[in-house]
Structure formats: C-alpha cells, structure tokens
Amino acid sequence: MKKTTIFTLAALGMMTITSCFRDPKHPGLEYMPDMAHSVAVETYDESKNTDIYADGLSARTPIHGTIPFAQGALFGETRHSAYMPYHHPNTPEGLEAAKADLNPMELNEVNMAEGKRLFNIYCAPCHGEEGKANGSVTLANNHAFPMSEAFSYFTDVNLAITEGEMFYITQYGKNSMGSYATQLNREERWKVIMYVKSMQAKFKAENATASAPKAEETK
Ligand code: HEC
C-alpha cells in the first residue's frame, strides 16, 4: 500500500518534470498572460485579426518593385542609393548615359576619409596611392601587368573622365581592370570616386599656374 503511493507520486512527479520538456515553445504555466502574449500587433500579423484592414493583416505588403529607403539604418548614414538598381547596361550607349551621373554622397571629411581608406586597399595596388599607376601590382615582375603610366589619373584624357564614368568603370571594369561591384557596395564606390576626383582636383590646382598642361602628362 505504502509502496503504491510512493510509486504513484514518483510517476506523477516524472510526468510533471517531463511535460516541461515536451514542447520547448510551449510557455508552460502562464501566470501573467499579458507578458507571454504581446498586446502589440506585429507587422504583417494576421493572427490578431485586427480590423485595421479587411483581410485582418496588420499592414499592407510593399508594392512590387519597392526599394527600401533605409535612411540611417546602417552605419548611421543615408543609404539611399545602396539598393537602387544600376540602370546603365554594359554597352557604349550605357557608358554614354552613365557619364552624366553625379556622386550622390555628401562631400564631407568623413566620406572623403573613408574613400581614401578604401582606395588604398582596393585600387592603390594597381593605381598607386597617388593615382600615378605605379602600385605594387603594376610594378611587380618587371611591369608584367598591363598597366602603365598612360593610365595615371592625371593624363588629360583621364582628368576628363566624369565621376559617372568612373562609377561605370567600377561597375563593369575596363579592359584588364575587373569589376569592383562585388567587393565594394555603391556607396563605398562613390566615396572612392570622391577621393579620386579630389586627387585630380588637387593636381589641377597645382598645375593651373603652369598655364598649359605638361607634355609628359598627356602621353
Ligand atoms: C588589378 C589592377 C587594378 C585595380 C585593383 C584597379 N584598377 Fe582601375 N584600372 C586598371 C587598369 C589596367 C586600367 C586601364 C584600363 C584600360 O584603359 O585599358 C584601369 C582604369 C581605371 C580607370 C579609368 C582611367 C584609365 O586609366 O583608363 C578608373 C577611373 C579606374 N581604373 C578606377 C579604379 C578604382 C576606383 C579602383 C578601385 C576600386 C580600381 N580602378 C582598381 C587596373 C586596376
């Protein structure tokens, strides 16, 4: 008799303990239902059957093709262009249209510093830290890489490249230069271009006094 009672109690005890582990998502005993079940309606939640919309959904799904604006969502910046599709195809017409694109990033010290940092990592190995096409990759193996000073950013031809065209080049590459679209996002590339343009502007300012551009720069 006494043994049966102990057995029954033990069995009940086991059931109580194991029942806690049956469904990890089950809250078990709810002594404060308000805490377990949020009163707030989650986005796109239809379980609460609110009367906000006729179908019970708590919010409308975005219109097809909507691009997230995400202002300040990442790195505390305006990331307005990060999700925008690149509309120019990799064609001569695409390049022509791309030339008019303007840098959407604000010209400020923070963006410029980041552009410089990224340039020195991603571009300087070929283009050189000063943009003179004399980076370590360019100089290696006795100039084995098809890059020469003709590709310096300071030739007349390259000084005339617009920032929109530069962006197009980072998107699709140019001859032996590959695309940087997967290494750097759009905003990073625009920051790099901001820095390249600042190097060019500095060069132009320094050479403005010497009326005509130097012959050796136009090779
Ligand atoms: C692997 C070496 C290499 C790297 C790294 C590289 N480039 Fe280039 N880039 C080249 C070569 C080579 C050319 C010249 C292509 C041609 O005209 O034949 C070029 C051309 C350019 C041009 C056009 C000017 C010109 O001389 O034709 C721009 C602008 C440019 N690169 C920007 C960048 C930027 C910005 C980065 C970094 C995100 C970068 N490049 C990284 C090799 C490189």
Side-chain angles (χ1 to χ4, degrees), residues 146-191:
M147 177 99 174
S148 72
E149 274 155 38
F151 297 131
S152 153
Y153 286 143
F154 312 111
T155 64
D156 277 357
V157 176
N158 287 342
L159 281 172
I161 292 183
T162 66
E163 46 190 6
E165 178 171 356
M166 285 190 183
F167 190 90
Y168 179 95
I169 293 171
T170 64
Q171 179 77 22
Y172 296 118
K174 186 179 180 187
N175 299 328
S176 40
M177 173 181 155
S179 162
Y180 278 79
T182 52
Q183 282 93 330
L184 297 167
N185 69 29
R186 280 160 209 276
E187 305 220 342
E188 289 167 333
R189 282 184 276 144
W190 279 120
K191 286 177 192 170

Side-chain angles (χ1 to χ4, degrees), residues 95-133:
L95 171 60
E96 271 319 302
K99 285 181 180 175
D101 287 349
L102 298 176
N103 199 330
M105 302 305 296
E106 193 187 322
L107 180 66
N108 60 35
E109 272 179 36
V110 178
N111 287 342
M112 188 68 86
E114 179 65 355
K116 179 178 183 176
R117 188 183 76 84
L118 295 169
F119 178 87
N120 286 340
I121 297 170
Y122 291 94
C123 320
C126 294
H127 288 276
E129 291 208 353
E130 295 174 333
K132 291 180 179 165

Side-chain angles (χ1 to χ4, degrees), residues 44-91:
Y44 308 131
D45 184 5
E46 49 187 342
S47 67
K48 299 224 168 68
N49 238 329
T50 59
D51 53 8
I52 303 173
Y53 293 108
D55 58 4
L57 215 63
S58 67
R60 300 291 79 193
T61 50
I63 294 162
H64 181 72
T66 305
I67 296 163
F69 185 70
Q71 182 168 28
L74 297 162
F75 313 116
E77 299 167 4
T78 314
R79 312 246 337 144
H80 47 78
S81 68
Y83 302 95
M84 296 298 250
Y86 191 62
H87 292 295
H88 307 302
N90 190 6
T91 60

